[in-house]
Amino acid sequence: EVQLVESGGGLVQPGGSLRLSCAASGFTFSDHYMDWVRQAPGKGLEWVARTRNRARSYTTEYAASVKGRFTISRDDSRNSLYLQMNSLKTEDTAVYFCARGSHYGDGYHTMDVWGQGTTVTVSS
Amino acid sequence: DIQMTQSPSSLSASVGDRVTITCRASQGIGNHLAWFQQKPGKAPKSLIYAASSLQSGVPSQFSGSGSGTDFTLTISSLQPEDFATYYCQHYNEYPLTFGGGTKVEIK
């Protein structure tokens, strides 16, 4: 069974740091791009970051709202995805989902499998 | 950035109704458009990719159409389990962006 399980969420003060993890199973993790997507309380979905696979040199992309503060990374040997979040702001409060990227022959990647999410609360 | 505008933001419908949700991109995105379903407290679920291709296991009452800037998600006969919020997303370039969502409620 294809599965993504996030962990690492919690309560952190503004300006603090947190590291999220996503454990993947049931598929060849190293083949896939991987994403982080977040959802603030009562709001819609916001894409946060993407890491490409080894074939694409693990290059990364970020939303403007997190660029310079968040770092996406992966460890293919552990089938794991990470999000290092620094200089956290109250507006970063959200459920953070990891998602598997997939393409369908044209090289453009969307997401097809999602984890259940982990909650990050930034508050003093 | 490409803006994705969904309409309506919410709708009320009955079991068996045909429901159509529209999504408009602020610039052309070819067919690089996906649809997701989300139920309260749950992760999004992928329904459609490439504007009109059904993900494996998604019931056939769901269909998608469109290209360029205008897209639709149609539920041909609404089932009880279809009451949820639906999001479109473009993946044509970075940043990837989602529409604001359409909440489908029971009439």
Side-chain angles (χ1 to χ4, degrees):
Chain A
E1 179 194 4
V2 174
Q3 197 170 13
L4 297 170
V5 179
E6 301 92 336
S7 60
L11 174 64
V12 61
Q13 292 187 336
S17 299
L18 210 56
R19 188 196 196 205
L20 306 183
S21 299
C22 172
S25 59
F27 65 99
T28 305
F29 179 75
S30 59
D31 285 348
H32 287 263
Y33 292 18
M34 295 296 297
D35 294 283
W36 287 100
V37 177
R38 69 184 179 183
Q39 187 169 38
K43 303 297 184 182
L45 300 169
E46 178 188 17
W47 171 77
V48 172
R50 166 170 283 178
T51 174
R52 297 181 179 87
N53 55 16
R54 180 179 180 181
R56 293 291 182 264
S57 304
Y58 301 122
T59 50
T60 57
E61 304 285 348
Y62 294 93
S65 58
V66 306
K67 196 169 185 178
R69 299 188 299 123
F70 289 12
T71 302
I72 188 172
S73 62
R74 62 192 294 163
D75 184 340
D76 289 353
S77 68
R78 295 176 181 269
N79 290 339
S80 292
L81 176 72
Y82 306 102
L83 186 68
Q84 177 67 43
M85 304 186 295
N86 298 331
S87 303
L88 281 160
K89 306 175 182 180
T90 55
E91 52 263 41
D92 295 318
T93 295
V95 176
Y96 285 73
F97 298 98
C98 68
R100 185 178 78 170
S102 284
H103 72 92
Y104 304 94
D106 65 357
Y108 288 80
H109 294 246
T110 181
M111 306 108 174
D112 67 343
V113 177
W114 296 63
Q116 85 289 348
T118 187
T119 299
V120 173
T121 303
V122 185
S123 175
S124 55
Chain B
D1 297 2
I2 298 174
Q3 308 303 316
M4 306 300 293
T5 304
Q6 280 183 243
S7 60
S9 57
S10 65
L11 64 91
S12 295
S14 301
V15 172
D17 283 354
R18 181 182 181 89
V19 168
T20 298
I21 299 168
T22 66
C23 179
R24 174 165 288 175
S26 61
Q27 64 190 71
I29 59 170
N31 70 338
H32 301 131
L33 191 283
W35 289 97
F36 299 92
Q37 176 195 66
Q38 188 180 33
K39 297 180 180 180
K42 300 295 186 181
K45 173 187 175 183
S46 176
L47 297 177
I48 286 171
Y49 63 91
S52 60
S53 297
L54 225 56
Q55 283 285 2
S56 175
V58 173
S60 59
Q61 73 251 32
F62 291 94
S63 64
S65 64
S67 68
T69 60
D70 294 310
F71 302 87
T72 60
L73 173 70
T74 300
I75 309 172
S76 60
S77 177
L78 201 63
Q79 299 302 300
E81 59 270 24
D82 299 336
F83 292 94
T85 300
Y86 294 85
Y87 294 93
C88 63
Q89 178 226 9
H90 90 80
Y91 53 99
N92 194 64
E93 62 180 45
Y94 297 100
L96 312 180
T97 54
F98 292 86
T102 297
K103 187 173 185 178
V104 177
E105 299 176 298
I106 301 172
K107 183 183 284 184

